[in-house]
């Protein structure tokens, strides 16, 4: 078998379908939740089909409320002391988040995703000690993520994707909030390195940091994150140009339910570790394309028997693809072009 890539001009119907789906998703959804803009409604079935294969939907894609509500959240909020859930997702709310909302101290869930809210994230939210889920994705919030958020000691889901947030991912998130299960901050303007403290987030299931300006070596050790299933670092400037850039991949071998790893479109150098053959048998997507990775694709890749998608295109991978890749019965999408190939 020779190195090749299935491109979107392929006449293969399955490949075309997948290319279309991947385009629709931007290969992976930037925040894994509630992707239902009007334009995409007709594609919802296809999307759901893919999501169902990924088998990972902590928030329920189909549960979003759409009521065409307009207006802004009033800053004088009385009688909210007993409010446990504030769900006004997918409406047309405008204006800023009132800092006084932090007085609603029983809140366990705030979902204001896919509205038109703007301004800074209120520092006062750090007072919400019972808050389990904060979903503010799909708005135009700007400014940085307040370190006071590390005081939300019950927080399990921090969902801030698709906004205009800048600054760093606070180091204290990792050291103060080990019960975090989802950190979803994709499609923002965040920068800095991925804090090493994330090694302490032992309950982590989803790490979505794609489409930002993160850079440098990934020094996170995922050994303790036994429940990690989805990790997307796509489209950043990650990598240090050193041989050990992919060391963190080896720490993922203890995550027995791991399904998706995307590190494409970064600056990762170094040798592709053989340990990818020891990743979870549950792996469905492995996407390492558009980096500077060297080495060969190990023969043992065939032990990942549930793979649906495999991408190593535009790297410096050499050698031949093992023939045994044909044993991967579920494989629907392979992209290996644009490498420095020496055919044996
Ligand atoms: C909470 O309510 C009190 C009384 O209405 C007010 O003085 C205070 O500023 C509010 N707290 C926040 C964080 O807005
Ligand atoms: C977190 O809360 C503690 C005590 O409630 C306070 O002293 C500290 O300043 C808060 N941290 C941040 C970053 O707001
Ligand atoms: C975010 O980055 C984009 C592209 O670089 C830029 O146009 C935009 O002004 C930035 N927004 C903020 C809030 O920094
Ligand atoms: C993890 O948490 C422990 C205890 O809180 C702390 O000593 C250690 O520095 C943390 N590790 C990282 C990488 O932040
Ligand atoms: C992982 O998930 C299991 C089952 O839901 C749970 O018991 C466990 O506490 C979670 N966290 C870790 C670190 O294993
Ligand atoms: C996996 O976990 C075992 C037991 O906790 C530990 O000994 C081993 O070093 C871990 N492997 C990796 C790659 O972190
Ligand atoms: C895969 O895991 C096994 C068992 O832990 C270990 O002996 C082997 O060295 C690992 N292989 C690679 C390539 O990391």
């Amino acid at each position: 078998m020779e190195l090749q890539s299935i491109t979107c001009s392929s006449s293969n119907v399955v490949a075309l379908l997948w290319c279309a789906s991947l385009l629709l998703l931007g290969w992976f959804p930037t925040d894994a939740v509630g992707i239902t803009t009007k334009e995409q409604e007709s594609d919802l079935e296809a999307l759901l089909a893919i999501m169902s294969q990924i088998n990972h939907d902590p928030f329920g894609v189909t549960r979003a409320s759409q009521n065409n509500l307009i207006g802004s959240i009033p800053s004088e909020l009385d009688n909210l002391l007993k409010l446990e859930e504030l769900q006004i997702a997918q409406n047309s709310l405008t204006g800023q988040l009132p800092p006084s909302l932090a007085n609603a101290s029983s809140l366990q869930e705030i979902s204001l995703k896919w509205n038109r809210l703007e301004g800074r994230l209120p520092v006062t939210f750090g007072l919400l000690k019972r808050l389990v889920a904060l979903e503010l994705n799909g708005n135009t919030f700007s400014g940085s993520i307040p370190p006071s958020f590390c005081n939300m000691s019950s927080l399990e889901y921090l969902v801030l994707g698709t906004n205009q947030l800048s600054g760093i991912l606070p180091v204290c998130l990792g050291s103060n909030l080990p019960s975090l299960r989802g950190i979803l901050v994709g499609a923002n303007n965040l920068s800095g390195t991925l804090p090493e403290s994330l090694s302490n987030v032992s309950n982590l299931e989803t790490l979505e940091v794609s489409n930002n300006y993160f850079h440098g070596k990934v020094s996170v050790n995922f050994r303790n994150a036994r429940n990690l299933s989805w990790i997307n670092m796509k489209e950043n400037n990650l990598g240090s140009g050193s041989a050990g850039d992919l060391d963190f991949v080896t720490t993922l071998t203890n995550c027995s339910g791991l399904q998706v790893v995307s590190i494409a479109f970064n600056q990762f150098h170094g040798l592709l570790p053989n340990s990818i053959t020891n990743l979870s048998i549950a792996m469905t997507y492995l996407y390492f394309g558009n980096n500077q990775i060297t080495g060969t694709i190990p023969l043992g890749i065939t032990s990942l028997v549930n793979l649906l998608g495999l991408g190593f295109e535009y790297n410096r991978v050499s050698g031949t693809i093992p023939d045994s890749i044909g044993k991967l019965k579920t494989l629907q999408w392979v992209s290996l072009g644009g490498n420095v190939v020496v055919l044996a």
Side-chain angles (χ1 to χ4, degrees), residues 59 63 65 73 77 80 83-90 93 97-115 117 121-122 124-137 139 141 149 152 155-160:
F59 303 98
R63 215 180 59 201
S65 54
I73 303 169
L77 292 155
L80 290 185
L83 185 71
E84 294 185 353
E85 289 189 11
L86 181 65
Q87 292 201 28
I88 323 178
Q90 285 179 273
L93 301 181
L97 275 181
S100 55
L101 198 55
N103 265 345
S105 55
S106 302
L107 274 176
Q108 293 174 21
E109 183 177 342
I110 296 178
S111 180
L112 298 169
K113 63 189 178 189
W114 304 109
N115 278 288
L117 297 164
L121 302 176
T124 53
F125 276 22
L127 297 167
L128 293 167
K129 303 284 184 207
R130 295 190 192 158
L131 199 65
V132 174
L134 180 61
E135 298 178 19
L136 300 176
N137 51 307
N139 285 287
F141 290 113
F149 279 21
M152 294 191 271
L155 199 65
E156 293 180 11
Y157 296 100
L158 180 63
V159 189
L160 304 176

Side-chain angles (χ1 to χ4, degrees), residues 155-186:
L155 199 65
E156 293 180 11
Y157 296 100
L158 180 63
V159 189
L160 304 176
T162 315
N163 277 293
Q164 295 191 14
L165 298 169
S166 53
I168 63 164
L169 199 56
V171 173
C172 59
L173 284 178
S175 28
N176 290 21
L177 302 177
S179 49
L180 275 173
R181 294 162 73 162
I183 301 175
L184 297 94
V185 297

Side-chain angles (χ1 to χ4, degrees), residues 9 18 24 58 85 126 139 188 264 294 301 312 321:
S9 60
W18 272 91
L24 173 68
E85 289 189 11
N139 285 287
N188 277 292
T294 56
I301 194 92
F312 283 102
I321 310 180

Side-chain angles (χ1 to χ4, degrees), residues 29 43 60 72 129 137 142 163 174 213 218 225 276 300 304 329-330 336:
D43 297 312
S72 54
K129 303 284 184 207
N137 51 307
S142 54
N163 277 293
Y213 300 100
V218 175
I276 62 166
L304 305 180
K329 299 288 181 225
T330 55
L336 301 165

Side-chain angles (χ1 to χ4, degrees), residues 180-201:
L180 275 173
R181 294 162 73 162
I183 301 175
L184 297 94
V185 297
N188 277 292
N189 284 9
L190 297 169
S191 56
T193 55
L194 294 179
E196 192 181 346
S197 64
L198 293 179
S199 312
N200 269 347
V201 187

Side-chain angles (χ1 to χ4, degrees), residues 274-275 277-278:
N274 272 334
S275 59
T277 63
N278 267 353

Side-chain angles (χ1 to χ4, degrees), residues 274-285:
N274 272 334
S275 59
I276 62 166
T277 63
N278 267 353
L279 290 174
S280 165
I281 194 112
M283 285 299 307
T284 53
Y285 292 95

